[in-house]
């Protein structure tokens, strides 16, 4: 256990429901009395092959747990808010592209494939939707004309298409969450 603020760590090894070993670790243990001469709280445990063991630890500390809990809850709050915002943007994108896609043969099916595979080749489309390679290429070109996907290789063969707006929403969610966390942590530390 590599955390210097842990005052006492009781390590219990149980075999067949009985304590077979009890070791005390922690920052209050004098260095000379630690099982391993280490700054980290460590102990070497030997186990016999074929035996079943349970390892239990009880940790005590007088550290600032409230600040740690607040920090973790802040992370949960920011992540939840970000997830809701990203979902709302994705739903708006889906509503916006539903009609143009529905006007094309297997357009809605291709949209569903793109939500799962936002970077895809014509062979990938063919695998998921069936049909010929030429049909898959045609479908991707129609989507490219509508601005739904963009070809990213510039090649004549083995082209790769990217569902930019979808990926940008996911990337922006991460960037917004990071910025919000940095701002909130800055206020909390000020």
């Amino acid at each position: 256990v590599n955390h210097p603020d842990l005052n006492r760590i009781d390590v219990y090894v149980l075999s067949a429901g009985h304590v077979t070993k009890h070791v005390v670790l922690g920052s209050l243990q004098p260095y000379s009395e630690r099982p391993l001469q280490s700054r980290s709280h460590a102990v070497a445990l030997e186990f016999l092959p074929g035996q079943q063991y349970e390892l239990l630890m009880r940790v005590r500390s007088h550290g600032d747990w409230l600040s740690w809990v607040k920090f973790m809850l802040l992370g949960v709050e920011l992540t939840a808010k970000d997830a809701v915002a990203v979902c709302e943007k994705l739903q708006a994108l889906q509503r916006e592209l539903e009609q143009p896609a529905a006007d094309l043969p297997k357009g809605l099916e291709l949209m569903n494939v793109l939500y799962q595979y936002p970077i895809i080749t014509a062979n990938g489309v063919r695998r998921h939707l069936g049909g010929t390679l030429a049909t898959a290429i045609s479908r991707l070109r129609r989507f490219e004309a509508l601005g739904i996907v963009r070809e990213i290789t510039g090649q004549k063969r083995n082209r790769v298409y990217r569902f930019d707006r979808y990926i940008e929403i996911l990337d922006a969610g991460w960037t917004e969450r990071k910025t919000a966390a940095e701002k909130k942590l800055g206020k909390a530390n000020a």
Side-chain angles (χ1 to χ4, degrees):
V1 180
N2 194 11
H3 195 290
D5 294 333
L6 299 176
N7 294 340
R8 181 179 171 115
I9 304 166
D10 289 290
V11 178
Y12 298 93
V13 178
L14 284 77
S15 180
H18 296 85
V19 175
T20 58
K21 186 168 190 160
H22 173 229
V23 180
V24 178
L25 308 169
S27 60
L28 297 180
Q29 283 294 103
Y31 189 79
S32 60
E33 294 178 20
R34 295 182 184 187
L36 294 177
Q37 304 297 303
S38 170
R39 292 185 329 187
S40 297
H41 309 303
V43 61
L45 300 173
E46 293 182 25
F47 299 107
L48 297 174
Q51 291 278 81
Q52 289 192 346
Y53 296 92
E54 291 180 64
L55 182 62
L56 304 174
M57 288 195 318
R58 179 176 55 194
V59 178
R60 282 188 237 154
S61 176
H62 301 292
D64 187 6
W65 288 98
L66 184 57
S67 293
W68 182 83
V69 169
K70 285 179 180 179
F71 173 76
M72 292 304 294
L73 289 176
L74 172 63
V76 169
E77 175 191 5
L78 292 173
T79 302
K81 286 179 178 178
D82 177 58
V84 169
V86 168
C87 286
E88 288 170 349
K89 290 174 185 176
L90 290 174
Q91 287 174 332
L93 178 65
Q94 187 176 21
R95 283 190 301 271
E96 178 188 334
L97 298 178
E98 187 173 6
Q99 190 55 53
D103 292 341
L104 300 173
K106 289 205 175 186
L108 292 176
E109 291 91 336
L110 180 53
M111 284 305 307
N112 287 331
V113 170
L114 289 172
Y115 287 121
Q116 293 176 21
Y117 305 96
I119 297 176
I120 196 163
T121 63
N123 273 321
V125 171
R126 182 186 53 77
R127 256 192 319 275
H128 291 285
L129 298 182
T132 66
L133 183 59
T135 301
I137 291 169
S138 174
R139 288 183 176 133
L140 284 167
R141 284 186 178 155
R142 286 188 213 147
F143 268 49
E144 187 175 28
L146 291 171
I148 297 173
V149 296
R150 175 177 61 93
E151 200 285 320
I152 60 174
T153 64
Q155 301 174 20
K156 294 204 182 270
R157 299 178 56 133
N158 300 318
R159 292 180 165 196
V160 178
Y161 293 83
R162 185 178 192 268
F163 188 8
D164 282 336
R165 290 177 62 199
Y166 180 73
I167 293 171
E168 287 166 7
I169 289 171
L170 296 175
D171 285 346
W174 162 249
T175 303
E176 290 167 10
R177 180 174 63 240
K178 182 180 175 209
T179 302
E182 288 169 348
K183 284 182 183 176
K184 265 200 165 174
L185 285 175
K187 288 179 187 174
N189 291 335

